[in-house]
Coordinates of all heavy atoms in Angstrom, one line a residue:
M114 N 102.8 227.0 9.1 CA 102.3 226.1 8.2 C 102.2 224.7 8.9 O 103.0 224.3 9.7 CB 103.3 226.0 7.0 CG 102.8 225.0 6.0 SD 103.7 225.1 4.4 CE 103.0 226.6 3.7
K115 N 101.0 224.1 8.6 CA 100.8 222.7 9.2 C 101.0 221.7 8.2 O 100.5 221.8 7.1 CB 99.4 222.6 9.7 CG 99.1 223.4 11.0 CD 97.7 223.1 11.5 CE 97.4 223.9 12.8 NZ 98.1 223.4 13.9
I116 N 101.8 220.7 8.5 CA 102.2 219.6 7.6 C 101.9 218.3 8.3 O 102.1 218.1 9.5 CB 103.7 219.6 7.3 CG1 104.1 221.0 6.7 CG2 104.1 218.5 6.3 CD1 105.6 221.2 6.7
V117 N 101.3 217.3 7.6 CA 101.1 216.0 8.1 C 101.7 215.1 7.1 O 102.0 215.4 5.9 CB 99.6 215.6 8.3 CG1 99.0 216.4 9.4 CG2 98.8 215.7 7.0
G118 N 102.0 213.9 7.5 CA 102.6 212.9 6.6 C 102.6 211.5 7.1 O 102.2 211.2 8.2
I119 N 102.9 210.6 6.2 CA 103.0 209.2 6.5 C 104.3 208.6 6.0 O 104.7 208.9 4.9 CB 101.8 208.4 5.9 CG1 100.5 208.9 6.4 CG2 101.9 206.9 6.1 CD1 99.3 208.4 5.7
S120 N 105.0 207.9 6.9 CA 106.2 207.1 6.5 C 105.8 205.6 6.5 O 105.1 205.2 7.4 CB 107.4 207.5 7.4 OG 107.1 207.1 8.7
A121 N 106.3 204.9 5.6 CA 106.1 203.5 5.5 C 107.2 202.8 4.6 O 107.6 203.4 3.6 CB 104.7 203.2 4.9
C122 N 107.7 201.7 5.1 CA 108.6 200.9 4.3 C 108.1 199.4 4.3 O 107.2 199.1 5.1 CB 110.1 201.0 4.8 SG 110.3 200.4 6.5
P123 N 108.7 198.6 3.5 CA 108.2 197.2 3.5 C 108.0 196.5 4.8 O 107.0 195.9 5.1 CB 109.2 196.5 2.6 CG 109.7 197.5 1.7 CD 109.8 198.8 2.6
A124 N 109.0 196.6 5.7 CA 108.9 196.0 7.0 C 108.3 196.9 8.0 O 107.6 196.5 8.9 CB 110.3 195.5 7.5
G125 N 108.6 198.2 7.9 CA 108.1 199.1 8.9 C 108.7 199.1 10.2 O 108.2 199.6 11.2
L126 N 109.9 198.6 10.3 CA 110.6 198.5 11.6 C 111.7 199.5 11.8 O 112.0 199.9 12.9 CB 111.2 197.0 11.8 CG 110.1 195.9 11.8 CD1 110.8 194.6 11.8 CD2 109.2 196.1 13.0
A127 N 112.4 199.8 10.7 CA 113.6 200.7 10.9 C 113.4 202.0 10.1 O 113.3 203.1 10.8 CB 114.9 200.0 10.4
H128 N 113.3 202.0 8.8 CA 113.2 203.2 8.0 C 111.9 204.0 8.4 O 112.0 205.2 8.3 CB 113.3 202.9 6.5 CG 114.6 202.6 6.1 ND1 115.1 201.3 6.1 CD2 115.7 203.3 5.6 CE1 116.3 201.2 5.6 NE2 116.7 202.5 5.4
T129 N 110.8 203.3 8.6 CA 109.6 204.0 8.9 C 109.7 205.0 10.1 O 109.4 206.2 10.0 CB 108.4 203.0 9.1 OG1 108.3 202.3 7.9 CG2 107.1 203.7 9.5
P130 N 110.1 204.5 11.3 CA 110.2 205.5 12.4 C 111.4 206.4 12.2 O 111.3 207.6 12.7 CB 110.5 204.6 13.6 CG 110.9 203.2 13.1 CD 110.3 203.1 11.7
M131 N 112.5 206.0 11.5 CA 113.6 206.9 11.3 C 113.2 208.1 10.5 O 113.5 209.3 10.8 CB 114.8 206.2 10.7 CG 115.5 205.2 11.6 SD 116.6 204.1 10.7 CE 117.8 205.2 10.0
A132 N 112.4 207.9 9.4 CA 112.0 209.0 8.5 C 111.0 209.8 9.3 O 111.1 211.1 9.2 CB 111.3 208.4 7.3
A133 N 110.1 209.3 10.0 CA 109.1 210.0 10.7 C 109.7 211.0 11.7 O 109.4 212.2 11.8 CB 108.1 209.1 11.5
K134 N 110.7 210.4 12.5 CA 111.4 211.2 13.5 C 112.2 212.3 12.9 O 112.3 213.5 13.4 CB 112.2 210.3 14.5 CG 111.3 209.5 15.4 CD 112.1 208.7 16.3 CE 111.2 207.9 17.3 NZ 111.2 206.5 17.1
A135 N 112.9 212.0 11.8 CA 113.8 213.0 11.1 C 112.9 214.1 10.6 O 113.3 215.3 10.7 CB 114.5 212.3 10.0
L136 N 111.8 213.8 10.0 CA 110.9 214.9 9.4 C 110.3 215.7 10.5 O 110.2 217.0 10.4 CB 109.9 214.3 8.5 CG 110.4 213.7 7.2 CD1 109.3 212.9 6.5 CD2 110.9 214.9 6.3
E137 N 109.9 215.1 11.6 CA 109.3 215.9 12.7 C 110.3 216.8 13.3 O 110.0 218.0 13.6 CB 108.7 214.9 13.8 CG 107.4 214.3 13.3 CD 106.8 213.3 14.3 OE1 107.5 212.8 15.1 OE2 105.6 213.0 14.1
K138 N 111.5 216.3 13.5 CA 112.6 217.1 14.2 C 113.0 218.3 13.2 O 113.1 219.4 13.7 CB 113.8 216.2 14.4 CG 114.9 216.9 15.2 CD 116.0 215.9 15.5 CE 117.2 216.7 16.2 NZ 118.3 215.8 16.4
A139 N 113.1 218.0 11.9 CA 113.5 219.0 11.0 C 112.4 220.0 10.8 O 112.7 221.2 10.8 CB 113.8 218.4 9.6
G140 N 111.1 219.6 10.8 CA 110.0 220.5 10.7 C 110.0 221.5 11.9 O 109.8 222.7 11.8
A141 N 110.2 220.9 13.1 CA 110.2 221.8 14.3 C 111.3 222.8 14.3 O 111.1 224.0 14.6 CB 110.3 220.9 15.6
S142 N 112.5 222.4 13.8 CA 113.6 223.3 13.7 C 113.4 224.4 12.7 O 114.0 225.5 12.8 CB 115.0 222.6 13.5 OG 115.1 222.1 12.2
L143 N 112.6 224.1 11.7 CA 112.3 225.1 10.6 C 111.0 225.9 11.0 O 110.7 226.8 10.3 CB 112.0 224.4 9.3 CG 113.2 223.7 8.7 CD1 112.8 222.8 7.5 CD2 114.3 224.8 8.2
G144 N 110.4 225.6 12.1 CA 109.3 226.4 12.6 C 107.9 225.9 12.1 O 107.0 226.7 12.1
Y145 N 107.9 224.7 11.6 CA 106.6 224.2 11.1 C 106.0 223.2 12.0 O 106.7 222.5 12.7 CB 106.8 223.4 9.7 CG 107.3 224.3 8.6 CD1 108.6 224.1 8.0 CD2 106.6 225.5 8.2 CE1 109.1 224.9 7.0 CE2 107.1 226.3 7.2 CZ 108.3 226.0 6.6 OH 108.8 226.8 5.7
D146 N 104.7 223.1 12.0 CA 103.9 222.2 12.9 C 103.8 220.9 12.0 O 103.1 221.0 11.0 CB 102.5 222.8 13.2 CG 101.7 221.9 14.0 OD1 102.1 220.8 14.4 OD2 100.6 222.3 14.4
I147 N 104.5 219.8 12.4 CA 104.5 218.6 11.5 C 104.2 217.4 12.4 O 104.7 217.3 13.5 CB 105.8 218.5 10.8 CG1 105.8 217.2 9.8 CG2 107.0 218.4 11.7 CD1 106.9 217.2 8.8
K148 N 103.3 216.6 11.9 CA 103.0 215.3 12.5 C 103.1 214.2 11.5 O 102.5 214.3 10.4 CB 101.5 215.3 13.1 CG 101.2 214.0 13.7 CD 99.8 214.0 14.3 CE 99.4 212.7 15.0 NZ 98.1 212.7 15.6
M149 N 103.8 213.2 11.8 CA 104.1 212.0 10.9 C 103.4 210.8 11.5 O 103.7 210.4 12.7 CB 105.6 211.8 10.7 CG 106.3 212.9 10.0 SD 105.8 213.1 8.3 CE 106.2 211.5 7.6
E150 N 102.6 210.1 10.7 CA 102.1 208.8 11.0 C 103.0 207.7 10.5 O 103.6 207.9 9.4 CB 100.7 208.7 10.4 CG 100.0 207.4 10.6 CD 98.6 207.3 9.9 OE1 97.8 208.2 10.2 OE2 98.4 206.4 9.0
Q151 N 103.1 206.6 11.2 CA 103.9 205.5 10.7 C 103.0 204.3 10.4 O 102.2 204.0 11.2 CB 104.9 205.1 11.8 CG 105.9 206.2 12.2 CD 106.7 205.8 13.4 OE1 107.2 204.7 13.6 NE2 106.9 206.8 14.3
Q152 N 103.3 203.7 9.2 CA 102.5 202.6 8.9 C 103.5 201.4 8.6 O 104.4 201.6 7.8 CB 101.6 202.8 7.6 CG 100.5 203.7 7.9 CD 99.6 203.9 6.7 OE1 99.7 203.2 5.7 NE2 98.7 204.8 6.8
G153 N 103.3 200.3 9.2 CA 104.2 199.2 9.0 C 103.7 197.9 9.7 O 102.5 197.8 9.9
S154 N 104.6 197.0 9.9 CA 104.3 195.8 10.5 C 103.6 195.9 11.9 O 103.0 195.0 12.4 CB 105.5 194.8 10.6 OG 106.5 195.4 11.4
M155 N 103.9 197.1 12.6 CA 103.3 197.3 13.9 C 101.9 198.0 13.8 O 101.4 198.4 14.8 CB 104.2 198.2 14.7 CG 105.7 197.8 14.8 SD 105.9 196.3 15.8 CE 105.9 197.1 17.4
G156 N 101.4 198.1 12.6 CA 100.2 198.8 12.4 C 100.4 200.3 12.2 O 101.5 200.7 11.8
Q157 N 99.4 201.1 12.6 CA 99.6 202.5 12.5 C 100.0 203.1 13.8 O 99.5 202.7 14.9 CB 98.3 203.2 12.1 CG 97.9 202.9 10.7 CD 96.6 203.7 10.3 OE1 95.8 203.9 11.1 NE2 96.5 203.9 9.0
V158 N 101.0 204.0 13.8 CA 101.5 204.6 15.0 C 101.4 206.1 14.8 O 101.7 206.6 13.7 CB 103.0 204.2 15.2 CG1 103.6 205.0 16.4 CG2 103.2 202.7 15.4
N159 N 100.9 206.8 15.8 CA 100.8 208.3 15.7 C 99.8 208.7 14.6 O 100.0 209.6 13.8 CB 102.1 209.0 15.5 CG 102.2 210.4 16.0 OD1 101.4 210.8 16.9 ND2 103.0 211.2 15.4
T160 N 98.6 208.0 14.6 CA 97.6 208.2 13.6 C 97.2 209.6 13.4 O 96.9 210.3 14.4 CB 96.4 207.3 13.9 OG1 96.9 205.9 14.0 CG2 95.4 207.3 12.8
I161 N 97.1 210.0 12.2 CA 96.6 211.4 11.8 C 95.1 211.3 11.8 O 94.5 210.5 11.1 CB 97.2 211.9 10.5 CG1 98.7 212.0 10.6 CG2 96.5 213.2 10.0 CD1 99.4 212.2 9.3
T162 N 94.5 212.2 12.6 CA 93.0 212.3 12.6 C 92.4 213.0 11.4 O 93.2 213.7 10.7 CB 92.5 213.0 13.9 OG1 92.9 214.4 13.8 CG2 93.1 212.3 15.2
E163 N 91.1 212.9 11.2 CA 90.5 213.6 10.1 C 90.6 215.1 10.3 O 90.9 215.9 9.4 CB 89.0 213.3 10.1 CG 88.6 211.9 9.8 CD 88.6 211.6 8.3 OE1 88.5 212.6 7.5 OE2 88.7 210.4 7.9
E164 N 90.6 215.6 11.6 CA 90.7 217.0 11.9 C 92.1 217.5 11.5 O 92.3 218.6 11.0 CB 90.4 217.3 13.4 CG 89.0 217.1 13.7 CD 88.6 215.6 13.9 OE1 89.5 214.8 14.3 OE2 87.4 215.2 13.7
E165 N 93.1 216.7 11.9 CA 94.5 217.1 11.6 C 94.7 217.1 10.1 O 95.4 218.0 9.6 CB 95.5 216.1 12.3 CG 95.5 216.3 13.8 CD 96.2 215.1 14.5 OE1 96.2 214.0 14.0 OE2 96.8 215.4 15.6
A166 N 94.1 216.1 9.4 CA 94.3 216.1 7.9 C 93.6 217.3 7.3 O 94.2 217.9 6.4 CB 93.6 214.8 7.4
K167 N 92.5 217.7 7.8 CA 91.8 218.9 7.2 C 92.5 220.2 7.5 O 92.5 221.1 6.7 CB 90.4 219.0 7.8 CG 89.4 218.0 7.2 CD 88.0 218.2 7.7 CE 87.1 217.2 7.0 NZ 86.3 216.4 7.9
A168 N 93.2 220.3 8.6 CA 93.9 221.5 9.0 C 95.3 221.6 8.3 O 95.8 222.7 8.3 CB 94.1 221.5 10.5
A169 N 95.7 220.5 7.7 CA 97.1 220.6 7.1 C 97.1 221.3 5.8 O 96.1 221.4 5.1 CB 97.5 219.1 6.9
D170 N 98.3 222.0 5.6 CA 98.5 222.7 4.3 C 98.8 221.7 3.2 O 98.5 221.9 2.0 CB 99.6 223.7 4.5 CG 99.1 224.9 5.4 OD1 98.2 225.6 5.0 OD2 99.7 225.0 6.5
F171 N 99.5 220.6 3.5 CA 99.9 219.6 2.6 C 100.3 218.3 3.3 O 100.4 218.3 4.5 CB 101.0 220.1 1.6 CG 102.3 220.3 2.2 CD1 103.3 219.3 2.2 CD2 102.7 221.5 2.7 CE1 104.5 219.5 2.7 CE2 103.9 221.8 3.2 CZ 104.9 220.7 3.2
V172 N 100.5 217.3 2.5 CA 100.8 215.9 3.0 C 102.1 215.4 2.4 O 102.3 215.5 1.2 CB 99.7 214.9 2.7 CG1 99.9 213.6 3.3 CG2 98.3 215.5 3.1
I173 N 103.0 214.9 3.2 CA 104.2 214.3 2.8 C 104.0 212.8 2.9 O 103.7 212.3 4.0 CB 105.5 214.7 3.6 CG1 105.8 216.2 3.4 CG2 106.7 213.9 3.2 CD1 106.9 216.7 4.3
I174 N 104.3 212.0 1.8 CA 104.3 210.6 1.9 C 105.7 210.1 1.7 O 106.3 210.3 0.6 CB 103.4 210.0 0.8 CG1 101.9 210.5 0.9 CG2 103.4 208.4 0.9 CD1 101.2 210.1 2.2
A175 N 106.3 209.6 2.8 CA 107.7 209.2 2.7 C 107.7 207.7 2.5 O 107.9 206.9 3.4 CB 108.4 209.5 4.0
S176 N 107.4 207.3 1.3 CA 107.3 205.9 1.0 C 107.1 205.6 -0.5 O 106.6 206.5 -1.2 CB 106.1 205.3 1.7 OG 105.9 203.9 1.5
G177 N 107.4 204.4 -0.9 CA 107.0 203.9 -2.2 C 105.9 202.9 -2.1 O 105.4 202.3 -3.1
Q178 N 105.5 202.6 -0.9 CA 104.5 201.6 -0.5 C 103.0 202.1 -0.8 O 102.8 203.3 -0.8 CB 104.6 201.2 0.9 CG 105.9 200.7 1.4 CD 106.2 199.4 0.8 OE1 107.1 199.2 0.0 NE2 105.5 198.4 1.3
K179 N 102.1 201.2 -0.8 CA 100.7 201.6 -0.8 C 100.3 202.1 0.6 O 100.7 201.4 1.6 CB 99.8 200.4 -1.1 CG 98.3 200.8 -1.2 CD 97.5 199.6 -1.7 CE 96.0 199.9 -1.8 NZ 95.4 200.8 -0.9
I180 N 99.7 203.2 0.7 CA 99.4 203.8 2.0 C 97.9 203.7 2.3 O 97.1 203.9 1.4 CB 99.7 205.3 2.0 CG1 101.2 205.6 1.7 CG2 99.3 206.0 3.3 CD1 102.2 205.0 2.8
S181 N 97.5 203.2 3.5 CA 96.1 203.1 3.8 C 95.6 204.4 4.4 O 96.3 205.1 5.0 CB 95.9 201.9 4.8 OG 96.5 202.2 6.0
G182 N 94.3 204.6 4.1 CA 93.7 205.8 4.7 C 93.9 207.1 3.9 O 93.8 208.2 4.5
M183 N 94.3 207.0 2.7 CA 94.6 208.2 1.9 C 93.4 209.1 1.7 O 93.5 210.3 1.5 CB 95.2 207.9 0.5 CG 96.7 207.4 0.6 SD 97.8 208.7 1.3 CE 97.8 209.9 0.0
E184 N 92.2 208.6 1.8 CA 91.0 209.4 1.6 C 90.9 210.5 2.6 O 90.2 211.5 2.4 CB 89.7 208.5 1.7 CG 89.4 207.9 3.0 CD 90.2 206.6 3.3 OE1 90.9 206.1 2.4 OE2 90.2 206.1 4.4
R185 N 91.6 210.4 3.7 CA 91.6 211.5 4.7 C 92.2 212.8 4.1 O 91.9 213.9 4.6 CB 92.5 211.2 5.9 CG 92.1 210.1 6.8 CD 93.1 209.7 7.8 NE 94.2 208.9 7.2 CZ 95.3 208.5 7.8 NH1 95.5 208.8 9.0 NH2 96.2 207.8 7.2
F186 N 93.0 212.7 3.1 CA 93.7 213.8 2.5 C 93.1 214.3 1.2 O 93.8 215.1 0.5 CB 95.2 213.4 2.3 CG 95.8 212.8 3.5 CD1 96.3 211.5 3.5 CD2 95.9 213.5 4.7 CE1 96.9 210.9 4.6 CE2 96.5 212.9 5.9 CZ 97.0 211.6 5.8
D187 N 91.9 213.9 0.9 CA 91.3 214.3 -0.3 C 91.3 215.8 -0.4 O 90.9 216.5 0.6 CB 89.9 213.8 -0.5 CG 89.8 212.3 -0.8 OD1 90.9 211.7 -1.2 OD2 88.7 211.7 -0.7
G188 N 91.7 216.4 -1.5 CA 91.7 217.8 -1.7 C 93.0 218.5 -1.2 O 93.1 219.7 -1.4
K189 N 93.9 217.8 -0.6 CA 95.1 218.4 -0.1 C 96.3 218.0 -1.1 O 96.3 217.0 -1.7 CB 95.5 217.7 1.3 CG 94.5 218.0 2.4 CD 94.6 219.5 2.8 CE 93.6 219.8 3.8 NZ 93.6 221.2 4.2
P190 N 97.2 218.9 -1.2 CA 98.4 218.6 -2.0 C 99.2 217.4 -1.3 O 99.4 217.5 -0.1 CB 99.3 219.9 -2.0 CG 98.3 221.0 -1.6 CD 97.3 220.3 -0.7
V191 N 99.5 216.4 -2.1 CA 100.2 215.3 -1.6 C 101.5 215.1 -2.3 O 101.5 215.1 -3.6 CB 99.4 214.0 -1.8 CG1 100.2 212.8 -1.3 CG2 98.1 214.0 -1.0
I192 N 102.6 215.1 -1.6 CA 103.9 215.0 -2.2 C 104.6 213.7 -1.7 O 104.8 213.5 -0.5 CB 104.8 216.2 -1.8 CG1 104.1 217.5 -2.2 CG2 106.2 216.1 -2.4 CD1 104.7 218.8 -1.7
R193 N 104.9 212.9 -2.7 CA 105.6 211.6 -2.4 C 107.1 211.8 -2.5 O 107.6 212.4 -3.4 CB 105.2 210.5 -3.4 CG 103.9 209.9 -3.0 CD 103.8 208.6 -3.8 NE 102.5 207.9 -3.4 CZ 102.4 207.0 -2.5 NH1 103.5 206.5 -1.9 NH2 101.3 206.5 -2.1
V194 N 107.8 211.3 -1.4 CA 109.3 211.5 -1.4 C 109.9 210.1 -1.0 O 109.3 209.4 -0.2 CB 109.7 212.5 -0.3 CG1 111.2 212.8 -0.3 CG2 108.9 213.9 -0.5
D195 N 111.0 209.8 -1.6 CA 111.7 208.6 -1.2 C 112.1 208.6 0.3 O 112.6 209.6 0.8 CB 113.0 208.5 -2.0 CG 113.8 207.3 -1.7 OD1 113.4 206.2 -2.0 OD2 114.9 207.4 -1.0
I196 N 111.8 207.5 0.9 CA 112.0 207.4 2.4 C 113.4 207.6 2.8 O 113.7 208.3 3.8 CB 111.4 206.1 3.0 CG1 111.2 206.2 4.5 CG2 112.2 204.9 2.5 CD1 110.3 205.1 5.1
T197 N 114.3 207.1 2.0 CA 115.8 207.3 2.4 C 116.2 208.7 2.3 O 116.9 209.2 3.1 CB 116.6 206.4 1.4 OG1 116.2 205.1 1.5 CG2 118.1 206.4 1.8
T198 N 115.7 209.5 1.3 CA 115.9 210.9 1.2 C 115.4 211.6 2.5 O 116.1 212.5 3.0 CB 115.3 211.5 -0.1 OG1 115.8 210.7 -1.2 CG2 115.7 212.9 -0.2
C199 N 114.3 211.2 3.0 CA 113.7 211.8 4.2 C 114.6 211.6 5.4 O 114.6 212.5 6.3 CB 112.3 211.3 4.4 SG 111.1 211.8 3.2
I200 N 115.3 210.5 5.4 CA 116.1 210.2 6.6 C 117.4 211.0 6.4 O 117.9 211.5 7.4 CB 116.4 208.7 6.6 CG1 115.1 207.9 7.0 CG2 117.5 208.4 7.7 CD1 115.2 206.4 6.8
K201 N 118.0 211.0 5.2 CA 119.3 211.6 5.0 C 119.3 213.2 4.9 O 120.2 213.8 5.4 CB 119.9 211.1 3.7 CG 120.3 209.7 3.8 CD 121.0 209.2 2.5 CE 121.4 207.7 2.6 NZ 122.0 207.2 1.4
A202 N 118.2 213.7 4.4 CA 118.1 215.2 4.2 C 116.7 215.7 4.5 O 116.0 216.3 3.7 CB 118.5 215.5 2.8
P203 N 116.2 215.5 5.8 CA 114.9 215.9 6.1 C 114.6 217.4 5.9 O 113.5 217.8 5.5 CB 114.7 215.4 7.5 CG 116.0 215.4 8.1 CD 116.9 215.0 6.9
E204 N 115.5 218.3 6.3 CA 115.2 219.7 6.2 C 115.1 220.1 4.7 O 114.2 220.9 4.3 CB 116.4 220.5 6.8 CG 116.2 220.6 8.3 CD 117.1 221.7 9.0 OE1 117.5 222.6 8.3 OE2 117.2 221.6 10.2
A205 N 116.0 219.5 3.9 CA 115.9 219.8 2.4 C 114.6 219.4 1.8 O 114.0 220.0 1.0 CB 117.1 219.2 1.7
V206 N 114.1 218.2 2.3 CA 112.8 217.7 1.8 C 111.7 218.6 2.2 O 110.8 219.0 1.4 CB 112.5 216.2 2.4 CG1 111.1 215.8 2.2 CG2 113.5 215.2 1.8
I207 N 111.6 219.0 3.4 CA 110.6 219.9 3.9 C 110.6 221.3 3.2 O 109.6 221.8 2.7 CB 110.6 220.1 5.4 CG1 110.3 218.8 6.1 CG2 109.7 221.2 5.9 CD1 110.5 218.8 7.6
K208 N 111.8 221.8 3.0 CA 111.9 223.1 2.3 C 111.5 223.0 0.9 O 110.7 223.9 0.4 CB 113.4 223.6 2.4 CG 113.8 224.1 3.7 CD 115.3 224.5 3.6 CE 115.8 225.0 5.0 NZ 117.3 225.3 4.9
K209 N 111.8 221.9 0.2 CA 111.4 221.7 -1.2 C 109.9 221.5 -1.3 O 109.3 222.1 -2.2 CB 112.2 220.5 -1.8 CG 112.0 220.4 -3.2 CD 113.0 219.3 -3.8 CE 112.9 219.2 -5.3 NZ 113.8 218.2 -5.8
C210 N 109.3 220.8 -0.4 CA 107.9 220.6 -0.4 C 107.1 221.9 -0.1 O 106.1 222.2 -0.8 CB 107.5 219.5 0.7 SG 108.0 217.9 0.3
V211 N 107.6 222.7 0.9 CA 106.9 223.9 1.2 C 107.0 224.9 0.0 O 106.0 225.5 -0.4 CB 107.6 224.6 2.4 CG1 107.2 226.1 2.6 CG2 107.2 223.8 3.7
K212 N 108.2 224.9 -0.7 CA 108.3 225.8 -1.8 C 107.4 225.3 -3.0 O 106.8 226.2 -3.6 CB 109.8 225.7 -2.3 CG 110.1 226.7 -3.4 CD 111.6 226.7 -3.7 CE 112.0 227.8 -4.7 NZ 113.4 227.8 -4.9
A213 N 107.3 224.0 -3.2 CA 106.4 223.5 -4.2 C 104.9 223.9 -4.0 O 104.2 224.3 -4.9 CB 106.5 222.0 -4.4
V214 N 104.5 223.7 -2.7 CA 103.1 224.0 -2.3 C 102.8 225.5 -2.4 O 101.8 226.0 -3.0 CB 102.8 223.5 -0.9 CG1 101.4 224.0 -0.4 CG2 102.8 222.0 -0.9
E215 N 103.8 226.4 -2.0 CA 103.6 227.8 -2.0 C 103.6 228.3 -3.4 O 102.9 229.3 -3.7 CB 104.7 228.5 -1.2 CG 104.4 228.3 0.3 CD 105.5 229.0 1.2 OE1 106.6 229.3 0.7 OE2 105.2 229.2 2.4
S216 N 104.3 227.7 -4.3 CA 104.4 228.2 -5.7 C 103.0 227.9 -6.4 O 102.8 228.5 -7.5 CB 105.5 227.5 -6.5 OG 105.3 226.2 -6.7
K217 N 102.2 227.0 -5.9 CA 101.0 226.7 -6.6 C 99.8 227.4 -6.0 O 98.7 227.3 -6.4 CB 100.7 225.2 -6.4 CG 101.7 224.3 -7.2 CD 101.3 222.9 -7.2 CE 102.3 222.1 -8.1 NZ 102.0 220.7 -8.2
K218 N 100.0 228.3 -5.0 CA 98.9 229.1 -4.4 C 98.6 230.2 -5.3 O 99.3 230.8 -6.0 CB 99.3 229.6 -3.0 CG 99.3 228.5 -2.0 CD 99.5 229.0 -0.6 CE 99.4 227.9 0.4 NZ 99.6 228.4 1.7

């Protein structure tokens, strides 16, 4: 399963990269191909391309912020998750998202 996502917090300096790294590491350990883009005061880091967005099974948004470039994900299931939850329990977040997407197929 291919997963893409975006993490963003108001400053984009601490929680944004922490959530991205936690989800990528958890995804890898669960056997999923996951790429997380970071949006914050540093701009976009690890930008998700149109091709990566199209190939994804679903999108995780680890943020309560407005996300730029959401049109890339038109037609894809998008799941918003609290950024702190992504840092504290990334494997649980991914498992719950996968289960939700699979139940809608």
Side-chain angles (χ1 to χ4, degrees):
M114 183 167 283
K115 288 187 178 290
I116 305 165
V117 294
I119 297 175
S120 61
C122 65
L126 297 173
H128 286 90
T129 298
M131 287 168 63
K134 288 182 179 114
L136 288 167
E137 286 177 341
K138 185 176 177 185
S142 73
L143 293 168
Y145 299 120
D146 180 1
I147 183 166
K148 178 178 180 179
M149 293 296 297
E150 176 180 306
Q151 300 172 39
Q152 292 185 8
S154 60
M155 306 290 279
Q157 290 183 333
V158 177
N159 203 28
T160 303
I161 294 167
T162 66
E163 293 279 341
E164 293 78 28
E165 290 167 329
K167 283 184 178 128
D170 292 294
F171 68 93
V172 183
I173 296 175
I174 303 297
S176 179
Q178 304 289 111
K179 183 177 183 324
I180 301 297
S181 63
M183 284 300 292
E184 64 279 353
R185 294 174 282 180
F186 310 119
D187 286 349
K189 295 288 177 184
V191 176
I192 303 170
R193 280 196 176 261
V194 184
D195 178 71
I196 195 165
T197 305
T198 305
C199 293
I200 295 167
K201 291 181 177 178
E204 282 195 16
V206 167
I207 293 171
K208 286 178 183 177
K209 191 171 184 179
C210 291
V211 167
K212 189 174 184 178
V214 170
E215 287 179 339
S216 71
K217 292 185 180 184
K218 284 187 177 179

